[in-house]
Amino acid sequence: MHEILKGYVSVSVAAVLIMAALMLFAPLYRERFSKRWQYYIWLVVVFRLLIPWNPANGLVGRLFLAVQEQHAIKNGSVYKAMPQDKSLQNGVVSSEGKMEHNGDSSEAKIENNGISSCFKMLPQITEYLWMIWLFGVVLLFMRRIILHQCFVSCLKAGCAPVEDIRRLEIFGKVVAKSGLTKTAGLYTNDTITSPLLIGCFHPAVVLTKAEMSDADFYYTVLHEWTHYRRGDLIYKWLVQFTICLHWFNPCVYLLEREVSRMCELSCDEAVTKDLGAAGKRAYGDMLLRAVASACGFQRIPASITLHRGKKLMKERLGALMKERKNTRGTAVISALAALLLTTGAVAAGAYRMPAAAQEVRQDAEILRYKKDTSEKALMQEYKEWGITRKNGAYYYKGRRIRIFMDVRADASFVTFHFDKTGKMDVKLNRAKDFSVTGVSGMTRQETEEILEDYGDAVNEVKDEKSNDAKPKLAVSRLQKEELVQQVREAVKDCKDGTWYVITHQGVQYLYYYGMPGKYAFQPSIGQKKTMIKLADLGGTGERYVLLAVRGNQPLTVTYRGETVRYQTVEV
């Protein structure tokens, strides 16, 4: 859920940039572009705020990822679960396929190691911000709905249907002229001071009790019905929902003000579009009389009223008096401006939740991994869970491991090791934040699949002259210090930024210097070839990849989704 909050915060920042551009260039288009364009262009901002998604990480998305990565590097410690008594809850499968257990423990559990179960997790307020945000969203939106429903209920209680036949005929002509087949209501109410429109699905125009001429009545209902015909009520509710989603951003209230202002100006433009000078003057007189009769008006969210305040009324009257010629050039320029702003909204972008580490380097969860994770630190972590390594072989509480997998939450491996002489099959499980959640045995199905992949390695006959023969196929991570002298000398001659496969006595050593931080690998071993997928885990500084692949099968390496071209060196 916190990823969704990141998305909304990022689009909130992007929307501020778009709003700033609109306000900055307003003097250039205010008198040139139509009021309708100036009204609907704010939908670009609204949809940018409503949709926390982008085809790719734009300007703001990349900024968020950079900040997140720096934060992870600076404060990048993972709160690990301490080893617990029931670490091998599924037991450990022996190489013969039997469930192993020690001493007096149950058949499905390893001996209690005496360390109590606990989690060293310090709650951080950033992890719970989404709850505060969501609570604010629900509270504010419910408040707006309740206020609106109360207002409508009180309004309907004091409404009386208009019975004047002449007025009903005028209103009917206005509705019919719009081309809509909706059944609309026409009422009067002595508690309101300005005519208004209510109802997205069952529209009704509510008038004041004040006396008005037929001309004023016509222009009033035409104005209100134009609001309904254009879907202004739906637009207003979209804005209200947007405000609730981004209540933490003060700029959304500026958005509400601008949309409300341009709603009235564009509606006036639509009503008077086909009127002559006399008609515009009559319409302006109607607005002036509406101002004179209005008093004590309170704004209700998502309501459409004729009178919105004296300052706005002055601007509306001024706009009526100005003649603006609609030319083809202006239409083209305004369309290009809308396209440019929409493109800018996409380019500004949103924080995009990264894909799995095999696909994308900036995996949001992996970036939280320790900055100083090294082979030594990894071995220390294994030791806390009863796993040790000696002479290239892994042991669990002194017993040699046949299959050892250190598995991330996305199913890729931190460490994968196969040793045909081992007696136990062990899996170390990690959460998305890379913390260890426990050690478990492997199921029979899992071991059978791995053994099938290894094929001849399982049936390989051990060299009689060596009691510590290596299996034919195995993939393990190494440090330079663990290499034999000949391979170590070959590594020294390797160039930075170039991939190498150094072969020596039936082992292929994959080497590359220039990895940007930590890495994980995932082997896939078939009957005829071995494939290794490498993934960045984030971090700073350049590090090296060094993997030992035992066996002479053709080796395919992929990194960041592309096949690696490597140089082969024999020593």
Side-chain angles (χ1 to χ4, degrees):
M1 188 65 183
H2 65 282
E3 294 291 344
I4 297 178
L5 175 57
K6 288 179 184 177
Y8 276 114
V9 172
S10 66
V11 295
S12 201
V13 175
V16 169
L17 298 178
I18 304 167
M19 292 173 64
L22 276 173
M23 302 300 287
L24 180 64
F25 292 103
L28 297 179
Y29 63 74
R30 185 177 292 122
E31 303 300 333
R32 294 177 175 85
F33 293 174
S34 69
K35 296 297 187 286
R36 180 183 179 185
W37 184 93
Q38 297 180 53
Y39 174 48
Y40 287 115
I41 197 63
W42 288 98
L43 279 174
V44 176
V45 182
V46 171
F47 284 118
R48 177 70 284 177
L49 288 166
L50 287 176
I51 305 174
W53 181 85
N54 223 51
N57 277 310
L59 175 65
V60 176
R62 289 194 296 270
L63 175 64
F64 268 58
L65 283 175
V67 171
Q68 180 174 270
E69 181 170 358
Q70 290 301 318
H71 178 75
I73 293 169
K74 184 178 179 180
N75 306 293
S77 60
V78 175
Y79 300 102
K80 300 185 300 178
M82 289 296 290
Q84 42 188 315
D85 304 341
K86 302 177 181 179
S87 59
L88 293 185
Q89 296 177 359
N90 298 324
V92 176
V93 181
S94 69
S95 60
E96 290 79 16
K98 300 178 181 180
M99 187 70 72
E100 295 287 336
H101 59 89
N102 298 323
D104 298 328
S105 63
S106 64
E107 294 183 0
K109 300 174 183 178
I110 297 283
E111 178 185 11
N112 189 323
N113 59 16
I115 303 177
S116 61
S117 172
C118 66
F119 289 92
K120 292 185 176 180
M121 178 87 59
L122 298 177
Q124 298 180 354
I125 190 170
T126 53
E127 293 296 325
Y128 301 98
L129 279 178
W130 70 267
M131 298 176 66
I132 301 173
W133 165 72
L134 187 60
F135 177 76
V137 172
V138 174
L139 181 65
L140 290 174
F141 195 61
M142 289 302 296
R143 179 179 179 273
R144 276 167 166 74
I145 291 176
I146 292 171
L147 280 175
H148 184 267
Q149 288 301 111
C150 290
F151 171 73
V152 172
S153 297
C154 293
L155 189 67
K156 287 182 177 180
C159 282
V162 174
E163 297 178 350
D164 188 321
I165 298 299
R166 182 173 177 77
R167 295 287 171 90
L168 290 175
E169 286 179 353
I170 295 173
F171 182 58
K173 289 179 180 179
V174 169
V175 174
K177 189 178 180 180
S178 68
L180 301 178
T181 57
K182 281 282 185 181
T183 301
L186 182 62
Y187 303 93
T188 59
N189 191 304
D190 58 2
T191 63
I192 62 174
T193 59
S194 177
L196 54 84
L197 170 73
I198 59 172
C200 291
F201 305 105
H202 303 287
V205 175
V206 184
L207 306 173
T208 65
K209 285 287 188 177
E211 291 292 330
M212 64 176 68
S213 64
D214 287 347
D216 284 356
F217 172 79
Y218 171 75
Y219 288 126
T220 299
V221 295
L222 178 60
H223 178 94
E224 299 302 334
W225 193 249
T226 301
H227 278 306
Y228 179 77
R229 180 172 55 83
R230 301 192 314 167
D232 289 341
L233 282 171
I234 297 174
Y235 193 166
K236 288 291 187 73
W237 273 113
L238 274 178
V239 172
Q240 292 302 313
F241 183 62
T242 302
I243 291 171
C244 294
L245 279 176
H246 297 269
W247 56 265
F248 53 85
N249 184 352
C251 291
V252 295
Y253 303 99
L254 173 63
L255 167 68
E256 180 188 25
R257 189 194 72 182
E258 289 301 309
V259 169
S260 296
R261 186 175 69 87
M262 293 312 306
C263 178
E264 297 303 325
L265 288 169
S266 62
C267 188
D268 291 340
E269 181 184 68
V271 170
T272 61
K273 179 176 61 174
D274 298 324
L275 297 179
K280 290 183 179 181
R281 188 178 302 107
Y283 182 78
D285 291 340
M286 180 272 295
L287 293 179
L288 287 172
R289 282 188 284 271
V291 174
S293 62
C295 61
F297 171 73
Q298 288 186 338
R299 187 165 61 91
I300 303 299
S303 63
I304 299 291
T305 62
L306 180 66
H307 171 53
R308 304 289 294 187
K310 294 182 179 180
K311 184 177 180 180
L312 176 58
M313 189 61 69
K314 182 179 179 180
E315 184 178 3
R316 293 170 66 180
L317 292 171
L320 289 176
M321 298 300 107
K322 293 178 182 178
E323 289 289 339
R324 189 187 64 83
K325 294 183 179 180
N326 293 319
T327 63
R328 182 174 295 180
T330 303
V332 171
I333 294 174
S334 61
L336 290 175
L339 179 62
L340 180 62
L341 191 71
T342 303
T343 304
V346 176
Y351 169 79
R352 185 182 179 190
M353 289 183 287
Q358 296 98 325
E359 308 277 333
V360 181
R361 175 174 177 260
Q362 296 98 340
D363 188 306
E365 298 294 341
I366 295 175
L367 288 176
R368 298 171 58 192
Y369 195 47
K370 299 176 182 178
K371 175 187 175 182
D372 60 347
T373 298
S374 59
E375 186 73 9
K376 184 177 180 181
L378 195 63
M379 290 302 103
Q380 179 61 36
E381 190 174 40
Y382 290 165
K383 188 175 181 180
E384 294 176 2
W385 291 88
I387 299 169
T388 56
R389 187 176 69 179
K390 183 178 180 181
N391 297 327
Y394 287 87
Y395 296 82
Y396 180 78
K397 294 188 176 180
R399 299 193 63 187
R400 191 160 181 160
I401 298 174
R402 178 177 62 168
I403 300 174
F404 173 57
M405 298 192 304
D406 182 350
V407 188
R408 291 174 39 226
D410 63 1
S412 65
F413 296 102
V414 176
T415 301
F416 177 88
H417 183 78
F418 176 79
D419 181 355
K420 70 183 288 284
T421 63
K423 302 297 182 183
M424 310 175 74
D425 300 327
V426 179
K427 181 165 63 174
L428 190 77
N429 300 296
R430 295 182 182 271
K432 287 185 178 181
D433 63 0
F434 231 89
S435 61
V436 177
T437 58
V439 180
S440 65
M442 298 174 59
T443 65
R444 185 181 299 276
Q445 182 179 357
E446 288 175 328
T447 57
E448 287 178 352
E449 289 177 355
I450 293 174
L451 294 177
E452 183 179 354
D453 287 339
Y454 270 82
D456 295 339
V458 179
N459 302 316
E460 181 193 15
V461 179
K462 186 169 55 175
D463 188 346
E464 295 180 357
K465 296 182 180 180
S466 173
N467 294 325
D468 192 27
K470 303 284 186 181
K472 184 177 180 180
L473 290 175
V475 182
S476 57
R477 186 193 306 251
L478 297 176
Q479 297 293 302
K480 291 180 181 179
E481 295 76 14
E482 300 178 74
L483 297 172
V484 296
Q485 185 63 32
Q486 296 95 316
V487 178
R488 192 181 304 175
E489 292 297 327
V491 166
K492 289 181 180 179
D493 295 333
C494 293
K495 298 179 180 179
D496 296 349
T498 302
W499 293 85
Y500 293 91
V501 172
I502 303 169
T503 60
H504 177 69
Q505 295 184 355
V507 181
Q508 300 180 79
Y509 296 93
L510 176 64
Y511 176 76
Y512 174 79
Y513 185 85
M515 181 67 66
K518 303 172 288 297
Y519 72 95
F521 67 95
Q522 183 175 13
S524 177
I525 303 172
Q527 295 293 334
K528 296 183 179 181
K529 67 177 181 179
T530 299
M531 178 177 289
I532 298 177
K533 294 181 180 180
L534 292 163
D536 294 339
L537 299 184
T540 56
E542 293 187 341
R543 305 188 185 187
Y544 61 84
V545 174
L546 182 55
L547 298 176
V549 184
R550 296 175 179 84
N552 295 316
Q553 287 191 116
L555 183 61
T556 301
V557 181
T558 60
Y559 175 56
R560 294 182 177 177
E562 297 182 357
T563 302
V564 168
R565 294 185 179 181
Y566 55 79
Q567 297 183 18
T568 302
V569 178
E570 295 185 3
V571 295

